[in-house]
Amino acid sequence: MIYLLDDVIDSITATKIEKTLFDLKFPWHFTPDTSYGSANEYQQRPGFLHWFVKDGNKSAHLNLIEPLITNGAVAIGLKEVDVIQIRSFLQLPLSESFTGTDIDTPHIDLFEPHWVMLYYVLDNDAETVIYSNKMKNRNDIPTDKDLKECLRIQPKKGRMVIFDGMHWHTSEQPKTGVRAIININIKRRP
């Protein structure tokens, strides 16, 4: 099941999140690649990363995005939410001579059952691609030709897509503007 939620939070909160993430004081950190290929091969899609939650550590900015978690959970009928990790990515347009024309490497965020709540901080042209293929085990890595596209989502400020995290997924590189997302991974109960 894939849920597409427009205006998952009110416009005032959406604008506050956008302004905070684009404030010069917000702690972004460079990452050499925003998604990894098999065996951690770099595709050379550099960007910036901020961890809101990782290994029990919490960002000072976590309270800013709590409405995303709450509203997303309510929308899909979850009464309890166990957050595994939350991160944000910021990608800038890059020259095709640097990145090539392919989409980012299809990936799975975690090797355990989980939901992905992907929130779009602003409008941009880098679509998210979700494949119908699901990971069965860590060695189950399909080739590009084996992947069957299920859905493409156009990033729009205030939009959230929620899906079973075992679906392979990826994004396009932005061509005309900045891509900023918040990726929330929560436990999926049977």
Side-chain angles (χ1 to χ4, degrees):
M1 179 68 76
I2 299 173
Y3 303 88
L4 188 60
L5 311 170
D6 281 332
D7 305 317
V8 69
I9 52 175
D10 63 86
S11 63
I12 293 170
T13 304
T15 298
K16 185 176 180 184
I17 290 172
E18 179 183 0
K19 284 184 177 183
T20 300
L21 268 62
F22 285 92
D23 186 288
L24 291 175
K25 296 175 190 161
F26 190 78
W28 288 106
H29 302 279
F30 177 77
T31 182
D33 200 336
T34 55
S35 66
Y36 298 103
S38 59
N40 289 336
E41 295 170 5
Y42 288 108
Q43 193 178 28
Q44 297 185 18
R45 303 279 170 91
F48 297 90
L49 167 70
H50 175 83
W51 284 99
F52 286 97
V53 174
K54 181 181 182 187
D55 300 329
N57 297 314
K58 297 179 181 177
S59 163
H61 300 279
L62 180 59
N63 65 332
L64 175 71
I65 64 163
E66 286 176 347
L68 296 175
I69 301 164
T70 302
N71 294 359
V74 167
I76 65 170
L78 295 179
K79 291 181 174 51
E80 290 183 44
V81 176
D82 291 327
V83 171
I84 303 169
Q85 65 182 16
I86 305 173
R87 57 203 165 145
S88 188
F89 288 105
L90 177 66
Q91 293 172 270
L92 308 173
L94 300 170
S95 165
E96 282 185 10
S97 63
F98 181 70
T99 63
T101 57
D102 296 334
I103 59 174
D104 289 353
T105 303
H107 63 277
I108 301 291
D109 293 352
L110 301 166
F111 296 111
E112 63 184 273
H114 66 286
W115 289 100
V116 174
M117 296 176 150
L118 189 61
Y119 174 75
Y120 300 99
V121 177
L122 43 80
D123 298 357
N124 69 78
D125 65 339
E127 291 182 328
T128 299
V129 180
I130 302 173
Y131 299 96
S132 57
N133 308 65
K134 287 186 174 183
M135 175 179 272
K136 296 173 189 80
N137 60 59
R138 287 180 186 248
N139 298 319
D140 176 35
I141 302 172
T143 64
D144 289 346
K145 67 178 181 158
D146 293 331
L147 289 169
K148 305 286 186 256
E149 196 173 300
C150 176
L151 183 65
R152 282 182 173 259
I153 298 100
Q154 180 67 46
K156 176 184 164 198
K157 180 179 177 176
R159 175 174 282 170
M160 178 182 275
V161 61
I162 303 173
F163 57 95
D164 179 339
M166 301 315 280
H167 279 277
W168 288 91
H169 58 280
T170 191
S171 70
E172 296 177 320
Q173 270 300 127
K175 292 180 177 58
T176 60
V178 174
R179 178 179 189 264
I181 58 102
I182 297 172
N183 180 312
I184 304 163
N185 297 131
I186 61 172
K187 288 185 181 177
R188 192 182 80 227
R189 293 186 174 87

